[in-house]
Amino acid sequence: MISLEAMGTFTLIVGLLTLTPGLDTALILRTAALGQHRRAWGVVLGIQSGTLVWGTLASLGVTALLTTSHLAYQTLRWAGAAYLVWMGGMMLWATWRRSSSESPRTAGAGAEAEARAGAGDTLLGGWRQGTATNLLNPKMGAFYVAVLPNFIPAGTSHLGAGLLLAGVHILLAVAWACALIAFARVLRDRLRRPSARRCLDRVTGTVIAAFGIRLALGQ
């Protein structure tokens, strides 16, 4: 059994990790702030699906290959970096394209039509995005390899204990996501203006692309 002290320490570590502003926070806030609530929850579920996979693989010792195999780590790192730069770049490109195509006369109507249509507001689409973002981040795997074994007592089922600890991480992350989505809902009315939505997408796209560049540089 994992002691209460060890459980408390692990909860503190992953709690601080969850609260630290990062890629997941930016992605959830952006999606929810645009009123895409189904997609936002899909992103949350996708991110936590990735966390569960990393926790399971770390418990079984599979993710240790990331730290021992230079090729495996580099392959995943470059794939993750390419995905993040592509996703951020697509957001930026879309905002510039909308900016050049919208006239002041039709901008408001276009935004309202998009909101009514709920373009891209699907649970499955958000889940795919969240899962890919999490699983293509080798730092998540490295974190679990470095941290998880320290909290699994000798003689305990590694898989069972690992899933329990990953479950704690997931519960904290979902609670934080609830707060982010509630906060984004407050901002929704202010983001109905096309100019505000473009600004949000440009900020989020820049943040995501910057994470991809940092990952590519190994930072």
Side-chain angles (χ1 to χ4, degrees), residues 17 30 33 69-70 119 127 133 166 177 192 194 198 210 219:
L17 177 67
R30 180 261 176 188
S69 172
H70 180 73
W127 180 84
T133 301
R192 286 183 183 276
R198 284 196 301 271
Q219 298 179 353

Side-chain angles (χ1 to χ4, degrees), residues 7 12 42 48 69 107 109 112 118 135 164 166-167 184 191-192 207 211-212:
M7 184 68 76
L12 178 61
Q48 302 321 314
S69 172
E112 285 296 321
L135 289 181
L164 175 62
L191 294 170
R192 286 183 183 276
V207 168
F211 270 99

